[in-house]
Amino acid sequence: MRRAGLDLGSVNTKLVVLDQEERAYCRVIPSRFDSVQAGIALLKEYSQREEEKIDKLVVTGYGRVNFPEGRVITEITCQGRGCHEDFPEYPFILDLGGQDAKVIKKNSVGKIVQFIMNDKCAAGTGRFLDVILKGLDLTSAEMDLAAEAKPMAINSMCTVFAESEVITMLAKGVPKPEVVAGLFKSTAKRLANFVQSMGQPETLIFTGGGAHYLLLVKFLEQELKGSIVIPSEPELTAAFGAALLA
């Protein structure tokens, strides 16, 4: 029997299909402002490429309530279930998505006991980082240098004002690696405060596309004074959890 989890995200839409308990298929495509249509396209693509049909489907994410098929479960529950499968011993999860950030706490059996969400402002989200990094037009060498650079203080966490602050720094001759280090350090500080408003984890599970930024992980560990574990495919944990719940 094949079970599927479809995560209709604001930036990307993800599909994970399990055959028994093993991943048989996974795919990520851009949502392009219509995650429902992206989800329909993913399921159509799967049916055209795979011989085995999907027996049970759980849909989660932003567009879940408008999807024409499948059982609907919140992304909080799906994220917790996917993380618990990989890291049952750690209760705290930070999910850094494109448009929001979430801190989730689960118990020893994977049930969600508490969560908080920042979905009112782009500050401290994946989109905040993407917008500014894209504007910097970094080379891979400059990105590598940022890991060793002295972070410049970036005071504003509003995307518009932070971008203006970065432009002013560059105009004054501040090296790009120092600006990038400052961007990640200020974001890590904000995220650490967000996590600590719920508790002080010794080990934090970090999911979402933001977990791919290794410099952010480094500064976040420093701010939290703890360790961070990341699933092998951190952007797929909600879809994986949805498939498990199916």
Side-chain angles (χ1 to χ4, degrees):
M1 183 175 73
R2 291 206 166 188
R3 298 175 292 160
L6 185 62
D7 180 11
L8 307 177
S10 60
V11 176
N12 291 317
T13 294
K14 291 82 72 174
L15 175 66
V16 171
V17 181
L18 301 179
D19 187 356
Q20 303 305 325
E21 298 301 318
E22 299 296 322
R23 291 192 195 189
Y25 182 91
C26 60
R27 182 98 161 88
V28 180
I29 64 171
S31 297
R32 301 193 187 284
F33 302 103
D34 193 341
S35 59
V36 171
Q37 287 303 314
I40 292 170
L42 267 182
L43 290 176
K44 182 178 180 180
E45 180 182 300
Y46 171 84
S47 66
Q48 291 173 344
R49 292 177 57 174
E50 299 290 316
E51 294 181 0
E52 297 287 334
K53 70 180 183 69
I54 292 171
D55 299 291
K56 292 185 178 182
L57 172 68
V58 163
V59 183
T60 191
Y62 278 93
R64 64 187 183 275
V65 295
N66 297 317
F67 204 72
E69 58 181 298
R71 181 160 62 105
V72 172
I73 299 179
T74 70
E75 63 263 37
I76 302 293
T77 300
C78 292
Q79 192 69 252
R81 181 65 185 89
C83 288
H84 192 72
E85 188 71 12
D86 289 335
F87 304 109
E89 67 272 38
Y90 304 131
F92 286 92
I93 303 162
L94 170 63
D95 178 45
L96 184 59
Q99 301 284 16
D100 65 23
K102 310 177 193 74
V103 180
I104 304 165
K105 186 179 181 182
K106 57 185 178 69
N107 62 17
S108 59
V109 295
K111 182 179 179 180
I112 305 303
V113 295
Q114 191 179 0
F115 75 90
I116 52 175
M117 179 185 293
N118 166 33
D119 60 355
K120 303 298 183 186
C121 174
T125 67
R127 180 54 59 92
F128 169 77
L129 292 168
D130 289 345
V131 166
I132 298 180
L133 290 172
K134 185 177 180 180
L136 285 170
D137 192 25
L138 294 162
T139 65
S140 57
E142 286 171 331
M143 198 67 180
D144 290 340
L145 286 171
E148 306 299 329
K150 178 184 177 182
M152 287 295 295
I154 295 178
N155 298 311
S156 176
M157 284 304 294
C158 169
T159 306
V160 175
F161 293 144
E163 192 171 17
S164 176
E165 196 172 344
V166 165
I167 291 169
T168 300
M169 286 181 181
L170 294 175
K172 290 181 177 179
V174 177
K176 279 187 186 180
E178 293 183 14
V179 174
V180 173
L183 173 67
F184 281 117
K185 186 173 178 63
S186 61
T187 303
K189 188 176 184 65
R190 183 183 180 92
L191 290 172
N193 289 336
F194 190 42
V195 171
Q196 289 165 336
S197 68
M198 186 181 288
Q200 183 65 55
E202 293 182 3
T203 300
L204 177 72
I205 305 168
F206 193 10
T207 68
H212 288 294
Y213 291 119
L214 298 182
L215 193 52
L216 178 60
V217 174
K218 171 189 170 182
F219 284 126
L220 193 53
E221 285 186 323
Q222 291 176 4
E223 293 291 336
L224 289 171
K225 297 179 175 60
S227 61
I228 290 175
V229 293
I230 302 172
S232 58
E233 295 175 286
E235 70 277 15
L236 289 178
T237 46
F240 177 46
L244 289 168
L245 291 167

